[in-house]
Amino acid sequence: MAIRVVEYVREDGSIPFKQWFDQLDPAAAAKVAAAQVRLSQGNTSSVKWFGGLGEYVIDSGPGYRVYFARDGEKLIVLFGGGTKRRQQRDIDRAKGLLAEYKARKAKLEKDDTRDERRRRKKG
């Protein structure tokens, strides 16, 4: 099953995953890119789940991690990454971004519902 893997874009236009990824050396970036491909193929064998957040563990170098969440069956949203050394800080940041993502999504869905009701009233 093909799964779409996207990077979370914050309201201010910043992309936390991209900011982290762009600072990686080429070898580490290649390993993270391979992890993204595996996720898009539905391979979550290297993932630890907690509180709705996934941590993809890459057993290489300083122990890279990629943080993401599933949104339905066909979408994965990337929030950031880090290393074993900064693991708790990175998890806390990813949890904050996940909460932000969920709040923004709920607001958009609420606004869409309200707009649909208005269209029906006019129509």
Side-chain angles (χ1 to χ4, degrees):
M1 164 180 25
I3 298 171
R4 205 168 105 214
V5 177
V6 298
E7 297 171 13
Y8 176 56
V9 179
R10 299 186 80 184
E11 204 161 8
D12 66 4
S14 64
I15 306 169
F17 182 84
K18 181 180 181 341
Q19 291 168 341
W20 172 74
F21 184 85
D22 287 351
Q23 294 180 12
L24 296 174
D25 66 63
K31 292 191 181 296
V32 171
Q36 287 178 265
V37 170
R38 287 188 195 102
L39 287 172
S40 73
Q41 295 169 341
N43 182 344
T44 57
S45 62
S46 295
V47 175
K48 296 176 184 173
W49 292 96
F50 42 91
L53 189 68
E55 178 187 61
Y56 191 107
V57 178
I58 300 170
D59 290 324
S60 177
Y64 292 105
R65 272 91 168 109
V66 175
Y67 297 100
F68 65 94
R70 289 195 78 130
D71 187 348
E73 291 296 313
K74 298 192 178 200
L75 179 64
I76 287 180
V77 182
L78 301 171
F79 294 111
T83 61
K84 177 68 176 165
R85 171 181 256 176
R86 294 176 26 114
Q87 186 176 16
Q88 192 55 55
R89 238 179 318 171
D90 296 330
I91 289 170
D92 292 343
R93 182 158 195 263
K95 283 181 177 180
L97 291 169
L98 174 58
E100 180 182 300
Y101 170 79
K102 286 180 175 182
R104 286 180 62 202
K105 182 178 177 186
K107 183 182 181 315
L108 286 173
E109 289 172 351
K110 183 179 176 183
D111 291 348
D112 287 348
T113 301
R114 186 180 60 235
D115 292 346
E116 181 62 30
R117 277 191 240 134
R118 284 182 186 158
R119 279 193 288 272
R120 287 183 186 163
K121 269 186 170 176
K122 286 181 180 180

